[in-house]
């Protein structure tokens, strides 16, 4: 991780999950990528961001390899707690990577 990525670990504020949900569904690729980075950062410090599972997995449909890898990290972390959704996400990965 580069030095400027530390901003993703900043303190959380009220309403963070709805804000992240909105950013994950943004029409702008860069905003979605930043949102996934924030989700991964929150996950890394032990916050429960499992409610964003579908929104994060939907970000997988992109040409951006970095974003796909971030979604994969999220998916691996939450596959145990949400196995049915994880199977659907894996099927999406298979379609994206024939």
């Amino acid at each position: 991780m580069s030095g400027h990525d530390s901003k993703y670990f900043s303190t959380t504020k009220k309403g963070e999950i709805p804000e992240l949900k909105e950013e994950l569904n943004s029409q702008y690729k860069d905003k979605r990528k930043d949102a996934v980075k924030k989700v991964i950062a929150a996950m890394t410090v032990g916050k429960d961001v499992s409610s964003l599972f579908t929104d994060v997995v939907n970000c997988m449909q992109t040409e951006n390899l970095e974003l796909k890898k971030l979604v994969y990290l999220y998916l691996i972390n939450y596959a145990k707690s949400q196995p049915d959704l994880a199977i659907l996400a894996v099927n999406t990965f298979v379609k994206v990577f024939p």
Side-chain angles (χ1 to χ4, degrees):
M1 204 173 347
S2 59
H4 65 279
D5 285 343
S6 63
K7 67 182 177 185
Y8 300 113
F9 290 91
S10 64
T11 59
T12 60
K13 40 194 182 269
K14 281 189 170 182
E16 180 182 32
I17 297 293
E19 286 176 19
L20 287 171
K21 189 175 189 76
E22 183 180 320
E23 290 175 22
L24 288 166
N25 292 297
S26 172
Q27 64 182 2
Y28 303 108
K29 292 179 209 172
D30 288 342
K31 197 167 190 172
R32 283 194 309 262
K33 186 167 75 172
D34 280 349
V36 174
K37 285 183 178 182
K38 289 176 188 175
V39 170
I40 297 294
M43 184 179 75
T44 302
V45 296
K47 295 185 181 124
D48 181 15
V49 286
S50 60
S51 63
L52 298 170
F53 192 94
T54 305
D55 301 296
V56 172
V57 171
N58 284 338
C59 290
M60 170 176 16
Q61 298 173 3
T62 179
E63 297 297 316
N64 186 308
L65 186 59
E66 180 185 8
L67 183 52
K68 287 181 183 181
K69 288 178 180 179
L70 290 167
V71 172
Y72 181 76
L73 284 173
Y74 179 89
L75 179 62
I76 293 301
N77 190 66
Y78 282 109
K80 289 178 187 170
S81 63
Q82 301 195 26
D84 294 338
L85 288 175
I87 288 171
L88 291 173
V90 168
N91 287 336
T92 304
F93 263 121
V94 171
K95 289 177 187 173
V96 173
F97 301 110

